[in-house]
Amino acid sequence: MSDLTFEELLEIKRDGHTYTAAQIDRIVLGYADGEMPEYQMSAWLMAAYINGLNADETVWLTDAMVRSGRTIDLSSIPGIKVDKHSTGGVADTTTLVLAPLVAACGVPVAKMSGRGLGHTGGTLDKLESIPGFRIQLEPEDFLAQVRDIGVAVMAQSPDIDPADKMMYALRDVTATVPSIPLIVGSIISKKIAGGADAIVLDVKVGSGAFMKTEEQARTLASELTRVGRALGRDVVCIMSDMDQPLGMAVGNSLEVIEAIETLRGEGPAALTELCYTFGSRMLTLGGVATDDNIARGMLKEAIETGAGLAVFERWIEAQGGNPQVARDTSLLPLSPYSRDVTVGHEGYISGFDTEGVGRAAMLLGAGRATKDDDIDLGAGLMLHVRVGDRVHVDTPLATLYAANERLLDAGEERLMSAFRVSVTSVVAPPLFHEL
Ligand code: URA
Ligand code: CA
């Protein structure tokens, strides 16, 4: 352990110098143990944000974060445990589709998920819109459920990677979220502490992502891969588009409905394709398919035969939720007030401010402005158009759902400034930027 004071450790990064592994340990573990106060960690995060962490420092940061708490041991579950993570997007209900679908194909899914914050959605909030669903599981029940039905998703318990939870909460309010070394430490440490052997990462690029440019996203992807491998995990990154929302549903129960439709083979094309692409990597990494084509065929079959939806029902039931939602989505909450909004222009949809679409859903009640806000699980919006679509003045842009007219007004106003119409036709952005 380093014997420098926290103040002396801060001076090192303030002045642009580099740390030893012991010094990084002292900072991360000192903060997680409550020895270093929040004001010093806030200053450290800003110094790290501005002056960066080098290749070794980023690996040491990640490793120290893993050691800040307990780790989950998945060795009692047979097979290679593959986890999937997204850097955060809008209308991205992939996990709700992939978890049961991949499990139906023989790869166990033991996943810890988070809540939405800001304009991005979170798997736990979506699951909580299913009546009765429990997101808190005892570790032994979590493992038993994965062994029995192949899938369990729970809230990250507070004693796993506490450094990440504590640092993320400060980053969120100190303008230090979009730092590549800090994002890498946060994501990889969580996945390793959660027991993953292999990790498939969806690095989002575009107006709805933390990384707005392809160059930033490529650097993040290569760092995630490098650090994961340095710590002995197999990591695959795929860069996918966030210049428009992935699916058509933005909001918690609405995204559950969209996931169920996708498991029935009736989901939106881009979301379905993303599920095939990520699902096939998970099956090959999990060792149940020898190549992506075979894996893709298995996933298609699990959708066509209803095997994926059947696992979804068993999973919901195992965690106390009403499995009937898979057959009758009217059992899910939907906010009582709705409104169709029209495009108001003649031409072609040329782009979205995707973060703005997420913010519109937040204003309708679907997201939190701060960590402790309540959300309306039945609020949100269904988009009806995508980039490249020809539109008229009265073409429906979206249907909004909220608890009252005032919230509908606020959501509508935000949504109307989050898309663009051009007079000439435009080519839709590719779904994948790099595989
Ligand atoms: N997602 C995470 O889990 N951590 C980050 O720092 C950013 C996105
Ligand atoms: Ca999401």
Side-chain angles (χ1 to χ4, degrees):
M1 273 282 173
S2 160
D3 50 15
L4 298 179
T5 65
F6 291 131
E7 190 191 343
E8 288 166 327
L9 288 167
L10 283 172
E11 286 170 3
I12 294 175
K13 196 47 74 180
R14 179 198 66 193
D15 297 339
H17 301 305
T18 56
Y19 290 121
T20 64
Q23 289 169 340
I24 296 243
D25 262 17
R26 180 76 186 121
I27 293 165
V28 172
L29 302 178
Y31 177 56
D33 290 345
E35 246 189 285
M36 182 198 260
E38 286 190 339
Y39 52 80
Q40 285 180 320
M41 181 49 95
S42 298
W44 184 79
L45 289 167
M46 188 56 82
Y49 181 94
I50 292 171
N51 287 326
L53 299 178
N54 73 17
D56 284 337
E57 288 175 311
T58 306
V59 173
W60 295 330
L61 170 77
T62 309
D63 187 49
M65 289 172 79
V66 173
R67 284 183 284 105
S68 72
R70 213 162 54 78
T71 54
I72 298 253
D73 181 1
L74 297 177
S75 60
S76 67
I77 298 164
I80 299 166
K81 271 68 69 179
V82 188
D83 204 350
K84 180 242 156 208
H85 187 83
S86 143
T87 57
V90 176
D92 180 3
T93 194
T94 307
T95 294
L96 292 192
V97 179
L98 273 184
L101 195 60
V102 164
C105 295
V107 172
V109 177
K111 192 167 174 56
M112 288 188 299
S113 276
R115 295 195 180 280
L117 191 64
H119 72 283
T120 66
T123 300
L124 292 183
D125 296 323
K126 296 172 203 176
L127 286 170
E128 278 193 328
S129 76
I130 300 170
F133 195 95
R134 278 183 286 112
I135 57 162
Q136 310 286 353
L137 298 178
E138 292 304 321
E140 52 276 24
D141 297 336
F142 175 72
L143 294 175
Q145 186 180 316
V146 178
R147 280 191 297 267
D148 283 355
I149 62 170
V151 53
V153 177
M154 69 169 189
Q156 198 182 323
S157 68
D159 52 353
I160 293 161
D161 202 348
D164 177 55
K165 259 176 291 276
M166 295 167 68
M167 288 165 70
Y168 199 92
L170 282 186
R171 286 168 61 207
D172 202 41
V173 292
T174 57
T176 53
V177 171
S179 148
I180 286 176
L182 298 179
I183 294 175
V184 170
S186 167
I187 292 178
I188 301 293
S189 66
K190 260 196 299 263
K191 298 289 118 182
I192 292 179
D197 301 312
I199 306 159
V200 186
L201 293 169
D202 183 1
V203 178
K204 302 285 193 189
V205 197
S207 62
F210 289 120
M211 298 291 121
K212 309 284 185 205
T213 70
E214 212 166 302
E215 194 188 335
Q216 290 171 330
R218 194 173 299 118
T219 309
L220 176 60
S222 78
E223 278 298 287
L224 287 162
T225 309
R226 182 186 67 80
V227 172
R229 289 184 183 162
L231 295 171
R233 302 306 192 279
D234 215 345
V235 179
V236 172
C237 284
I238 299 173
M239 284 162 54
S240 78
D241 183 65
M242 252 309 132
D243 267 334
Q244 64 179 328
L246 174 63
M248 306 305 266
V250 189
N252 296 291
S253 65
L254 293 170
E255 293 189 44
V256 173
I257 295 171
E258 188 162 84
I260 291 167
E261 286 169 354
T262 306
L263 283 165
R264 284 185 189 143
E266 297 158 3
L271 172 63
T272 302
E273 178 52 36
L274 195 95
C275 289
Y276 281 138
T277 301
F278 279 90
S280 54
R281 293 299 158 95
M282 292 173 78
L283 298 193
T284 51
L285 281 169
V288 303
T290 47
D291 69 44
D292 276 352
N293 275 333
I294 292 171
R296 196 171 262 265
M298 292 167 71
L299 294 163
K300 279 211 160 92
E301 195 177 319
I303 285 184
E304 282 160 13
T305 60
L309 194 64
V311 172
F312 178 85
E313 287 180 51
R314 265 179 264 147
W315 164 37
I316 299 309
E317 188 164 29
Q319 290 188 230
N322 181 355
Q324 304 288 346
V325 297
R327 290 158 202 285
D328 180 2
T329 53
S330 74
L331 295 167
L332 290 158
L334 195 59
S335 299
Y337 286 80
S338 68
R339 182 184 299 172
D340 286 328
V341 299
T342 52
V343 172
H345 295 275
E346 192 74 30
Y348 298 85
I349 299 289
S350 59
F352 285 91
D353 159 17
T354 309
E355 180 168 338
V357 175
R359 300 233 169 251
M362 265 176 81
L363 291 173
L364 291 165
R368 297 177 187 81
T370 73
K371 182 159 116 286
D372 302 318
D373 283 355
D374 280 334
I375 52 173
D376 177 356
L377 295 168
L381 58 96
M382 287 298 304
L383 289 167
H384 303 306
V385 296
R386 293 190 72 71
V387 173
D389 285 358
R390 175 105 179 85
V391 294
H392 302 282
V393 172
D394 57 357
T395 300
L397 167 65
T399 306
L400 316 185
Y401 298 89
N404 59 52
E405 294 283 349
R406 190 180 47 80
L407 294 172
L408 287 178
D409 292 342
E412 175 174 358
E413 193 186 336
R414 190 70 186 85
L415 183 65
M416 295 313 278
S417 64
F419 74 103
R420 326 213 182 293
V421 177
S422 71
V423 288
T424 49
S425 76
V426 290
V427 181
L431 177 58
F432 296 109
H433 289 251
E434 214 158 273
L435 290 177

